[in-house]
Each structure stands twice: as C-alpha cells, then as structure tokens.
C-alpha cells in the first residue's frame, strides 16, 4: 500500500474542512459506521472457525429466519452507534420498531437505518455479503423520535453506503457529492480510498435478476428480459450476459464497477409482500449511490428516491444501474400503464 494512500478518516476530514460537504457530526457518525463494519468483517472472516455460522430459532419482523451473523452484525452496529452523540434513533431490518438513543447518551440530529447483513443466504457458502446503510436528518423541533420521523423519501438521505465482506472488504460511500470507494487494508486495519467519483457506464449488455421468478413477473419486466434473451437476432440486436450473486450488495457493487442493470421487480410470487427488497434500508441507499454515480434507479415508472414511505419495513420494486437500460425499463412501465405498446426502441 502506498504511503500516499488517503485513509477514510482523512478523506472525511477533507470532505468537512476543504469541501464543506459535511458537518463534523456526520463525519464522526460515518467513522462509527465504518468501525462497526470492520468488526463485522472480522466476524465474517472467522466464519465457521469461531462458530458464528448457522441459523437461530428466531425470526425477524419480516418473518425470515435469522442467521447468527444477522444478529451479531445488528448488535455490533447498534453498540457502535448508540453512544457517539450523533444520532437520535436507529432503525434496522432486524428490529421491528425503531431504537431511540438511550437517555444516558447525548442525542444527535441524525437517523441511521441499516440492513446489518445483506445476502444472508450466502453466509454458509462463503459468497460475498454486506452491510447497507442510510442516514437521514431528523426534522427540527422533534422532542420524542417516533417511527414516523424516519418516513422521509430517499432523496432526503444525507449519506448512503454499503460495505461488502468478500475477497476484499470494501466500503462504498456517498455524502451527496459523488461516490467513493475504500478498501480495508488488513495490515493497518483502516479503510483507504481507492476510487473517487465512481461512474457507472451508461450502456451495458449485462443484467442481474432471479430468473426462477420469471413466470411471476409483470409484463414490462418480461418484455425487457425477453428482448435481452433474444440477443443479436432480437429487437435489441446484441447479445446480453447474466450475473446473479443473490446478495444485493455484491450485485450492485459489480454494477458500480463495470455497469449493468439489477432487477428485483414486483412479482406474483409474493403479492402480499409487494416485492422482495425493503425500501428504507435496501432500495433507498442503493438508489442514492447509483444516481450519484450517474446511473438511474426506479421502481417501475417511478424514481425510487421519490417514493413517500408509509412504513419502516415497506417493500419496493428495484430496477437500477446503467442509465440507458433503466430508462428503457421505465419507458416499458410507462407504456404498459398507458396501455399502448409501440415497437421496441433500438
Ligand atoms: P437479506 O439477506 O438482507 O434478507 O437480503 C437478501 C436479498 C438481496 O440481497 C438479494 O438480492 C435477494 O434477497 C435475494 O433473494 P432471493 O434469493 O429470494 O431471490
Ligand atoms: Mn438485504
Ligand atoms: Mn439482512
């Protein structure tokens, strides 16, 4: 590692002092989140050797069986973030209701939301998993924080990011001024900046979707994937490639690096759940990162970041990535809503 590498701490200080992008309290909050991610990374690294793999008897609010690492990651994030004085409350995929900061600690002005461990089904098979987080600002004048104070549309996020635990531990972050990536240097135990101003290529020939749900998709998604699958002989006139890790963090990370489109659409398989992914701590932070990297993120015809949330754990359709492909998907949804279907775009 070069002596000139910029640590996350230094990078954050520069965002505060030099660029005026963030106040000190947000800088310190991000430092705390990153510290928690390092601890989760260590727990993931140790894996079976320290007995942290496997499922528990418990379920979370979504009715999903919790893995040991889901709970460990949740506890690490809670413990690391509740005493710093920068937060008013925390919300997590693993907690039914919000976690207000205990009165013994000072209360700050931010709200933190996270999916402590994304891609839980990949834990035992040693495939990349991660943590996703979102930071909101608490409205002025709130005496007692309630769940409703979290229900802000995603465009009000002041920061969003994720950390992948894979061959490398990588933190990807946006403070609303582009996207930067930081690699964990295991020798130093610190994150160093490896990429500034990440940009998603506008065009792509790669898509990511769970194809086993095909028969349950709505018509615009079927149309889009059918046209991709038709390849060079089809209306798109080119061949497409498919990648699907099954951990949103890993799929989105690939798209930020080399382009592509990720879809977890509404499907008839879970009609009562109205989609698989959660808006507040999965779709919104990823949508902010993708937009900040020049891409697009929609839930059909609507921009994800404009959805007005009505519940902490509500779900949303997710289609994000390279701008041209996501715009095409958005058009297909609009056309379906208007009931017309002109010839496919080329
Ligand atoms: P989580 O592990 O936090 O519940 O999220 C898993 C999500 C997401 O990472 C992934 O894209 C999707 O679930 C995969 O789900 P299926 O395997 O059911 O398609
Ligand atoms: Mn998840
Ligand atoms: Mn999770």
């Amino acid at each position: 590692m070069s002596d000139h590498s910029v640590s996350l701490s230094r990078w954050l200080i520069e965002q505060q002092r030099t660029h005026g992008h963030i106040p000190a309290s947000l800088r310190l909050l991000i430092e705390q989140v990153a510290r928690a991610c390092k601890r989760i990374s260590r727990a993931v690294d140790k894996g079976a050797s320290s007995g942290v793999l496997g499922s528990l008897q418990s379920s979370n609010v979504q009715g999903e069986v919790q893995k040991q690492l889901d709970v460990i990651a949740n506890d690490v994030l809670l413990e690391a973030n509740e005493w710093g004085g920068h937060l008013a409350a925390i919300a997590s995929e693993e907690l039914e209701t919000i976690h207000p900061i205990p009165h013994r600690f000072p209360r700050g002005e931010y709200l933190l939301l996270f999916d402590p461990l994304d891609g839980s089904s990949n834990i035992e098979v040693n495939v990349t998993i991660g943590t996703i987080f979102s930071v909101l600002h608490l409205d002025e004048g709130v005496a007692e924080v309630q769940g409703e104070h979290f229900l802000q549309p995603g465009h009000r996020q002041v920061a969003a990011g994720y950390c992948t635990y894979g061959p490398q531990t990588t933190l990807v972050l946006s403070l609303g001024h582009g996207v930067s990536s930081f690699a964990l240097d295991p020798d130093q135990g610190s994150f160093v900046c490896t990429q500034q101003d990440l940009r998603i290529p506008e065009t792509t020939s790669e898509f990511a979707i769970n194809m086993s749900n095909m028969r349950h998709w709505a018509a615009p998604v079927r149309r889009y994937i059918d046209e991709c699958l038709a390849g060079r002989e089809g209306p798109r006139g080119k061949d497409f490639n498919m990648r699907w890790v099954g951990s949103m963090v890993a799929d989105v990370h690939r798209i930020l690096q080399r382009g592509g489109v990720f879809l977890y659409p509404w499907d008839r398989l879970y009609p009562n759940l109205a989609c698989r992914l959660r808006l507040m701590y999965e779709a919104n932070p990823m949508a902010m990162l993708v937009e900040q990297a020049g891409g697009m993120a929609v839930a059909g015809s609507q921009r994800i970041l404009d959805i007005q949330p009505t519940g902490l754990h509500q779900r949303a359709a997710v289609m994000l990535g390279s701008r041209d492909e996501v715009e095409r998907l958005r058009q297909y949804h609009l056309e379906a809503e208007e009931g017309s279907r002109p010839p496919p775009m080329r």
Side-chain angles (χ1 to χ4, degrees):
M1 191 62 61
S2 146
D3 288 344
H4 303 293
S5 55
V6 173
S7 67
L8 173 67
S9 299
R10 179 172 168 185
W11 184 88
L12 285 168
I13 289 255
E14 286 169 1
Q15 296 303 305
Q16 179 200 332
R17 283 197 202 139
T18 315
H19 306 298
H21 287 164
I22 48 167
S25 53
L26 183 54
R27 166 173 68 82
L28 293 165
L29 168 56
I30 300 294
E31 292 251 30
Q32 296 289 66
V33 173
R35 205 162 295 145
C37 290
K38 276 192 254 181
R39 285 174 57 192
I40 299 168
S41 177
R42 288 293 295 146
V44 172
D45 279 353
K46 288 183 190 170
S49 69
S50 64
V52 296
L53 303 191
S55 300
L56 298 167
Q57 300 296 322
S58 53
S59 300
N60 64 14
V61 58
Q62 351 265 341
E64 298 159 344
V65 172
Q66 289 177 307
K67 302 282 181 81
Q68 278 204 69
L69 271 174
D70 285 323
V71 174
I72 291 169
N74 188 61
D75 290 349
V76 166
L77 280 156
L78 282 182
E79 196 280 324
N81 286 290
E82 66 176 6
W83 51 266
H86 319 298
L87 286 172
I90 295 171
S92 164
E93 179 193 7
E94 304 302 336
L95 301 174
E96 183 164 3
T97 54
I98 65 161
H99 176 87
I101 296 303
H103 289 302
R104 63 183 183 280
F105 300 122
R107 198 187 91 165
E109 57 189 312
Y110 294 105
L111 305 171
L112 176 67
L113 302 96
F114 45 75
D115 174 354
L117 213 66
D118 178 67
S120 303
S121 68
N122 279 326
I123 292 173
E124 280 79 19
V125 290
N126 199 4
V127 168
T128 298
I129 51 184
T131 296
I132 309 172
F133 62 92
S134 160
V135 182
L136 296 166
H137 198 272
L138 178 65
D139 288 334
E140 303 283 328
V142 174
E144 191 100 5
V145 191
Q146 310 281 344
E148 69 198 55
H149 298 119
F150 282 78
L151 303 183
Q152 305 176 20
H155 63 246
R156 292 185 58 191
Q157 291 171 107
V158 294
Y162 63 78
C163 187
T164 61
Y165 314 117
Q168 298 124 37
T169 293
T170 306
L171 180 76
V172 176
L173 180 65
S174 177
L175 305 172
H177 301 272
V179 179
S180 297
S181 184
F182 304 84
L184 181 63
D185 174 353
D187 296 332
Q188 304 294 328
S190 63
F191 283 105
V192 289
C193 185
T194 49
Q195 289 174 296
Q196 292 256 46
D197 201 18
L198 249 95
R199 304 302 292 172
I200 301 179
E202 281 178 18
T203 50
T204 180
S205 314
E206 202 162 77
F207 63 87
I209 192 165
N210 184 342
M211 292 289 287
S212 68
N213 293 330
M214 185 180 238
R215 69 196 182 284
H216 304 293
W217 298 335
V221 172
R222 261 201 110 108
R223 174 185 174 189
Y224 176 80
I225 297 294
D226 281 349
E227 290 179 5
C228 292
L229 295 177
R232 207 171 303 180
E233 294 77 35
R236 301 297 304 274
K238 62 175 182 176
D239 291 334
F240 281 76
N241 187 30
M242 194 196 93
R243 285 286 182 275
W244 178 253
V245 179
S247 297
M248 190 196 199
V249 276
D251 283 307
V252 171
H253 191 62
R254 182 188 60 253
I255 288 168
L256 280 170
Q257 294 298 326
R258 69 171 191 217
V261 58
F262 170 92
L263 299 96
Y264 217 116
W266 174 90
D267 65 51
R268 265 175 284 275
L269 190 58
Y270 307 109
N272 299 329
L273 297 178
C275 315
R276 175 84 170 83
L277 298 174
R278 278 57 56 107
L279 175 64
M280 305 280 309
Y281 42 80
E282 290 180 316
N284 273 344
M286 292 312 201
M288 177 172 174
L289 289 165
V290 164
E291 284 201 5
Q292 285 289 322
M296 244 178 107
V298 299
S301 57
Q302 189 182 15
R303 180 185 178 217
I304 287 175
L305 295 181
D306 285 340
I307 297 174
Q308 174 59 53
T310 53
L312 206 51
H313 299 288
Q314 91 181 61
R315 295 172 189 251
V318 175
M319 298 159 208
L320 53 77
S322 294
R323 173 164 286 278
D324 291 354
E325 295 302 310
V326 181
E327 177 55 30
R328 175 182 290 270
L329 272 157
R330 195 177 74 86
Q331 287 299 331
Y332 287 5
H333 282 83
L334 281 172
E335 286 168 21
E337 283 167 18
E338 287 159 11
S340 62
R341 187 172 162 160
M345 288 159 60
R346 285 203 76 106

